[in-house]
């Protein structure tokens, strides 16, 4: 149920647990991998909730411009932050170009595959530490990283698509209205496909991603291998997402690093 997966914080709209999904003969672990929108609005109560969930690693998929403008409010949490920028340019570039979801996702999957795989590799090597993966809305970049990770551990395609599509239920229309209005004003004209790119996470969009990956590479696993994921990474990923439950206590590391 969506209501059971959603973590209700004041500073996020779309923080969700990916646990409990059928994956081969097992299920993905609750409390291990969370997907989210941006974390710059967190307050003290939110941070206490994340600490109670033992969040020890945050994988930030945003471009440097987004991180600078809206830095994550993680002070005192003690989590390691890893930056894995999925886009090679600021998101505004794609909005200004009038890209739709298909064009946007094609760019990420076919031109930034190494970044998607780098993010998955961080997950694979996270051990028992509970992890949050996020971008700005938790819809597109986060959606593709989580979709790839879940596919690699045996979660069914329809289940992954349902998880992706759930985002549309959580992003507040008023917030999205502000984004759309800002871009229309900034460009002084209608921006092609803006409404779809900002607001929607239609199941068909992710279905088409899987179709194109399978047509070009044969499978999600072959795609990941062609972009640098190793057999060891795949075994580790299955172990951390589907294997043993997390050990007690978070890994508290204050250093920050960026994956290139």
């Amino acid at each position: 149920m969506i209501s059971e997966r959603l973590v209700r914080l004041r500073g996020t709209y779309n923080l969700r647990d990916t646990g409990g999904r059928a994956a081969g003969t097992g299920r993905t672990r609750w409390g291990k991998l969370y997907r989210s929108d941006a974390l710059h609005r967190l307050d003290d109560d939110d941070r206490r909730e994340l600490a109670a969930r033992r969040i020890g690693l945050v994988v930030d998929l945003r471009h440097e411009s987004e991180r600078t403008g809206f830095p994550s409010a993680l002070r005192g949490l003690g989590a390691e932050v890893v930056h894995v920028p999925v886009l090679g340019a600021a998101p505004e570039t794609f909005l200004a170009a009038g890209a739709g979801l298909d064009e946007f996702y094609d760019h990420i999957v076919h031109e930034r595959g190494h970044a998607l795989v780098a993010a998955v590799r961080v997950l694979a090597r996270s051990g028992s530490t509970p992890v949050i993966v996020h971008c700005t809305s938790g819809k597109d970049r986060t959606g593709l990283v989580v979709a790839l990770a879940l596919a690699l551990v045996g979660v069914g395609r329809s289940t992954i698509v349902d998880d992706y599509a759930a985002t549309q239920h959580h992003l507040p229309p008023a917030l999205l209205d502000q984004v759309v209005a800002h871009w229309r004003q900034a460009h002084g004209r209608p921006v092609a496909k803006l409404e779809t790119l900002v607001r929607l996470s239609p199941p068909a969009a992710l279905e088409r991603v899987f179709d194109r990956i399978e047509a070009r590479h044969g499978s999600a696993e072959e795609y990941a291998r062609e972009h640098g994921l190793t057999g060891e990474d795949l075994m580790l990923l299955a172990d951390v997402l589907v294997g043993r439950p997390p050990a007690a206590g978070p890994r508290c590391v204050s250093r920050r690093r960026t994956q290139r």
Side-chain angles (χ1 to χ4, degrees):
M1 295 289 292
I2 292 172
S3 60
E4 295 172 338
R5 297 184 181 283
L6 183 66
V7 180
R8 298 184 183 279
L9 302 182
R10 282 194 284 264
T12 62
Y13 303 107
N14 193 27
L15 175 59
R16 309 200 312 270
D17 194 324
T18 64
R21 304 295 195 186
T25 59
R27 287 189 174 273
T28 55
R29 293 193 290 170
W30 289 100
K32 168 57 190 178
L33 174 60
Y34 297 86
R35 53 177 299 165
S36 184
D37 50 319
L39 305 176
H40 61 280
R41 298 176 298 265
L42 299 179
D43 62 17
D44 289 340
D45 286 341
D46 293 340
R47 286 186 286 272
R48 279 190 285 270
E49 174 64 25
L50 296 182
R53 291 174 180 268
R54 299 179 295 104
I55 300 300
L57 177 63
V58 174
V59 183
D60 188 339
L61 306 176
R62 298 177 299 166
H63 187 264
E64 182 180 1
S65 63
E66 298 168 277
R67 301 196 310 265
T68 300
F70 302 96
S72 296
L74 297 172
R75 60 185 179 278
L77 186 60
E80 179 181 4
V81 179
V82 181
H83 297 141
V84 189
V86 166
L87 297 178
E92 289 83 353
T93 303
F94 300 91
L95 290 170
L101 283 175
D102 284 345
E103 295 92 339
F104 190 44
Y105 290 177
D106 275 351
H107 168 77
I108 294 173
V109 171
H110 301 304
E111 298 183 38
R112 301 289 295 177
H114 65 284
L116 290 182
V117 168
V120 171
R121 186 180 297 113
V122 174
L123 298 180
R125 298 182 179 274
S126 63
S128 62
T129 304
V131 182
I132 292 176
V133 176
H134 80 94
C135 53
T136 294
S137 67
K139 179 170 80 75
D140 303 312
R141 289 164 285 182
T142 298
L144 292 177
V145 168
V146 170
L148 179 58
L150 294 179
L152 292 173
V153 300
V155 177
R157 176 165 164 170
S158 63
T159 300
I160 296 170
V161 170
D162 287 346
D163 179 68
Y164 159 82
T167 288
Q168 194 168 313
H169 299 283
H170 300 310
L171 297 178
L175 177 66
L176 300 178
D177 288 345
Q178 293 174 11
V179 174
V180 170
H182 167 78
W183 276 100
R184 284 178 173 164
Q185 182 177 13
H187 289 273
R189 56 179 172 77
V191 179
K193 304 177 183 178
L194 176 63
E195 295 274 348
T196 300
L197 189 61
V198 171
R199 296 182 188 276
L200 304 182
S201 51
L206 191 60
E207 291 278 11
R208 287 191 291 269
V209 168
F210 278 120
D211 287 343
R212 291 193 289 271
I213 285 177
E214 291 171 6
R216 292 192 183 193
H217 305 278
S219 68
E221 180 176 333
E222 287 305 311
Y223 168 84
R225 287 182 179 274
E226 289 174 23
H227 288 87
L229 205 69
T230 67
E232 180 185 10
D233 292 329
L234 287 166
M235 288 188 292
L236 288 171
L237 185 69
D239 186 50
V240 300
L241 293 188
V242 187
R244 299 180 301 275
R251 178 181 61 178
C252 294
V253 183
S254 60
R255 61 195 175 91
R256 302 170 71 90
R257 57 194 174 93
T258 299
Q259 297 283 329
R260 296 290 185 185

